[in-house]
Amino acid sequence: MNTSTTKKNEHIPELQLVRVLAIIGVLSVHASASAIGSMKESGYYFFYNFVNIFMKFGTPTFILLSSFVLFYSYYSRPVDRKLITGFYKKRLLYIIIPYIVFSTFYFVLGRFLADLPLLSYDSLSNYWERLSTGKAFAHLYFVYISIQFYLLFPIVLWLAKKWRPLVHWLIPIGFALQWGFVLMNKYYWQVANKGSWSLSYFSFFFLGAALGIYYPKIKNWLIINKQNANGYRITAWTFVWLAWLGLALAHVTIYYNNRSFEIKYNSLLFEFLWNFHSIFSALVLIQAAFLIYRSFPSFVAKPLYRLGQLSFGIYLIHLFFLSFIYDRYMPQFGISWVAHFSYLGSWLFMLIASWAAVALTARFIPFSWIVFGNVPGAKNKLHITKKKMITAGAAIVILASSVVIGVWIKSAETENTHERQPLIEVVSEETVNETYDVIVAGTDPEGIAAAVSAARNGLKVLLVDGKNREILGGLMTVGGLNTLDNNNSPIKSAIPGKHIFLNKGIFQELYDHIEGTSFDTNTAANAFYKLVSNEPNIDLVMKVQSMAPIMGSSSSGGASIDGLRIVKEDGTEQSILAQAVIDATQDGDIAAAAGAPFTIGREDLNRPEAQMAATLVFKLSGVTQQIWNSFGQHKLSGVDSMSGWGFPDAKDYVSSDPERVKMRGLNIGRQNDNTILINAMHIFNVDPLDPKSVEAALEVGRAEAPRIVDYLKKTFAEFKDLEFAGTADELYIRESRHFQGEYRLTMADVMDNRDHWDAIAYGSYDVDIQSAHYKDEGIIMMSPLQYGVPFRTLVPLKVDDLLIVGRAASFDSMPHGSARVIPLGMATAEAAGAAVKLAIDNGITVRELSKSEELIVRLRSHLEEQGMDLKMNDFEPLAYTKHKAYKALIAAVSMMNTSGAYDNSNFELDAASNAERYVFKLLNVMKLHPDYFPGDPDAAITNIPNAIDQPLTLSQAILTIAYAIDTANVGALTLDEMLGRGWIMQETIDAITDQSAITNGESFMLIRDVVEYYAMTVYE
């Protein structure tokens, strides 16, 4: 019997201080990361770049140190089953389980804050992919790499013990393997996530192994003191420290040149300097740790020693405190010196909060190892037992099972189990009364909602279709637009896949009877018809050849609409009187004929010719479940059971007439007969008010659609087996008339998420401005949370007894990009139907109703009683509203001088502007206000080379404004002159942090002042 024992190696407390220095490096890199983007124009940028790059030794040092400890601890022990089993037990419980816990924690938290589903297939698949590649959060790749090394460790240990000479070659082997991988990846493999492969860190792992094995022999070379000093060691120490400093400075310098001046370097140079900077940093940190531990007083060394013991837990949790607490809730003051302290504060906050969290958890919470691993001195320190191993294994099985279940859930989520409904025949009234309480013109969704609402309020309603349609629903059915642009509440459902809509009411009734956010057009047509046919107070007349307003005089002496004169399908003409008319036609045809004032396209921005493109929806057949699922697997694409989206490369299609037709990414609506409808074709130069122009556009679209389908079949494998199956019968017209009402919805209303005393509906859809020209890509101006739509926007000027609902209501052209969507239009229509009843009961016009706060309160109350939700939800104000340039931002967005995109992040108010960009901003202002800005701002940069690279100074900004106002008298239009004339406010100048480098936000503030106080136009 062998009773020999292995001699236990001496404890090396200094290694905990190496961990301290490494974690300081990690925190420093992350604390300076945001400054790398936001402080690029600052004079202190070199300092932030220095910290960010100089401290990049943290993660490599942890890897080297981990290898050092493993080989130092295990090399003298026999490699047998007991050693390997014990090793893997500890790694499973102390490393892998905390890794899974924190991967899950960060993933769930990120999805929750982004209002993304947690239990959908896409979510679970994404979670599994991130978990299995170390990408659940930015820093967890280190643990993922460590797990790879743990898998390799017993093999390398066995090889090193079996072939002792191999130990001498560990360091060159590590470098050879790592750089072989680097070179092969650069020139051949091109692996996207190279940083998550352990091969990228083999030099650190094998160097750590060599140091751990040879430590007893080389420790005197690592410990700098008088006893160990001799000529050779002093030379070695000097070389290591000078090499470290030189490599670090070189590493910092090339990053600074690349980031500041866009100087290009071979990627291998970056790789080389990072590798050797980090290698020598690790050696220096080991020596520094010995110096600190042996030289510093115990009251300093002991806390640092404890910090080292907690470093793994701190590493896991520190980005929670930075990304989810500090960055989210730390206010932005817009003052440069405060920003510097903010970055320092982020470092301190991460350190202190993480230190406290890990220490307190380990001290007071049982089984803290599940979260933070093996923390010395933790409460209820784990004893590895068979029972604990079974528990841990069961947890992993449950996790894996959730992924399998998620896959099953997805298969159910993407299946369309609905059967296609035969169309219900729409019956038109043969006999039409001579009078009605209200006439609703138009059978689009808004017209149906208005008619149903009025009928439910006891009014006798005539609903008239003037589009020669066989079915109800207009754009959603005849136009083939079978995917809804939803008006979602800022309050999200905890149930995956469930939508909470604003307003609810009749729209919610409709939605509950169709398949989902996309739907079969037969289902929708039948649902619309059931809404109408279930109301005995509605008379429906289809296919009238024409309808025109019957005009009269109001009690105030102005014009009023007294009814409609229609020509029926059979050619008979009839005049029908009503106490009010609701115009629910797409273009506001009745209101226009009655003389209500309106603007066309972007006329309010002095660009009446600019109107959003029209679309002809086209159909493809042969969509099996397998093909539908394949759509969701395409890059940047997705599906649920009825809706598909993505295929952004479809925009690369070159049409037969590129100036007339182009494509964008696909919006795909599924039908119940194995077909899909695609909204993606843009058709330009269409006059929506000219029937001949509309018909010509239809012909263009019908000719182009088969070519587009052929392109999709050849370009995307998912489409190869599909066939062209026709086009919609009507064009999808996004924009035409914008009527002028008692109130005009503005971008300020939408950006401010503003409520109104007479809000009868609420909007939240992105301000989506589609292409107006073949060279125009379209733009998302911003994304609101919830804004009110006043009843006054439905009441046109100059014509009484008339309401306008839908996209033609009184909205400026920019907010129209959000307010034009069908769900919001149906909500305003429902309010219109109820408002007519209230006006009739009180013997007043709808205009008089719009001015009565008392009656509007009653209208809102009644709408809520009939099922609408008119509550303004509580939510945190959007970040841009707290910025010093907020009012100026409203003006800039209103003039289309900037946009925020889907997440409102593209405003970049604190980013530096430049001389050329400011010229473009003033050129755009000139288009809106040509009488006030007849000059040539481009002349301001004539003598400036590379103006796009030149920071915008205050003097250059004033010069550009002066050129825009009066090119001939630029010299007289100084800053002092503009201040004296009151064109620019002194508080605006005082708010500029650095007059030598103005930010975008500050540049908007100057423009806002000049536009308001010189051009006399206020955007707010």
Side-chain angles (χ1 to χ4, degrees), residues 668-687:
I668 308 170
R670 196 176 188 181
Q671 301 261 86
N672 296 336
D673 60 352
N674 297 326
T675 64
I676 54 176
L677 297 174
I678 295 182
N679 163 19
M681 183 199 309
H682 278 178
I683 306 175
F684 303 103
N685 305 321
V686 182
D687 181 353

Side-chain angles (χ1 to χ4, degrees), residues 603-823:
E603 187 177 348
D604 57 330
L605 298 178
N606 208 27
R607 294 182 61 198
E609 78 288 351
Q611 297 182 42
M612 286 190 270
T615 285
L616 183 61
V617 174
F618 56 91
K619 181 189 292 188
L620 285 82
S621 62
V623 182
T624 65
Q625 184 63 42
Q626 182 179 2
I627 291 174
W628 181 256
N629 288 341
S630 73
F631 291 169
Q633 296 163 10
H634 188 82
K635 180 178 65 174
L636 300 177
S637 304
V639 296
D640 57 26
S641 64
M642 294 300 294
S643 299
W645 57 90
F647 295 91
D649 292 342
K651 66 179 175 52
D652 296 332
Y653 168 74
V654 179
S655 76
S656 60
D657 185 354
E659 295 187 11
R660 193 78 198 275
V661 180
K662 77 172 186 178
M663 285 283 287
R664 63 168 197 193
L666 309 184
N667 283 347
I668 308 170
R670 196 176 188 181
Q671 301 261 86
N672 296 336
D673 60 352
N674 297 326
T675 64
I676 54 176
L677 297 174
I678 295 182
N679 163 19
M681 183 199 309
H682 278 178
I683 306 175
F684 303 103
N685 305 321
V686 182
D687 181 353
L689 307 181
D690 180 357
K692 292 182 179 179
S693 177
V694 172
E695 184 58 37
L698 274 168
E699 292 303 317
V700 168
R702 287 166 183 158
E704 199 68 39
R707 302 185 190 109
I708 293 172
V709 173
D710 186 57
Y711 170 80
L712 296 177
K713 286 163 63 73
K714 292 177 179 177
T715 306
F716 304 111
E718 297 86 352
F719 284 81
K720 64 182 177 63
D721 295 325
L722 303 184
E723 298 298 332
F724 175 66
T727 63
D729 293 329
E730 292 183 11
L731 277 182
Y732 169 20
I733 302 292
R734 294 180 173 86
E735 182 176 26
S736 56
R737 297 183 180 103
H738 302 290
F739 281 85
Q740 295 173 330
E742 289 293 328
Y743 185 89
R744 183 100 160 186
L745 190 72
T746 67
M747 272 307 301
D749 291 322
V750 176
M751 291 189 68
D752 204 39
N753 288 294
R754 191 173 292 164
D755 200 1
H756 293 270
W757 64 270
D758 61 338
I760 39 74
Y762 291 91
S764 66
Y765 189 68
D766 300 320
V767 182
D768 181 8
I769 307 300
Q770 294 284 316
S771 302
H773 187 269
Y774 75 97
K775 292 183 179 179
D776 175 14
E777 293 299 323
I779 193 168
I780 302 296
M781 299 302 296
M782 54 85 60
S783 183
L785 293 174
Q786 182 182 1
Y787 61 88
V789 178
F791 177 70
R792 288 165 291 162
T793 62
L794 312 185
V795 184
L797 299 176
K798 296 187 177 181
V799 181
D800 278 342
D801 301 321
L802 174 65
L803 294 172
I804 304 171
V805 297
R807 62 171 173 81
S810 184
F811 311 140
D812 279 349
S813 59
M814 288 298 99
H816 159 267
S818 169
R820 64 186 171 89
V821 298
I822 288 171

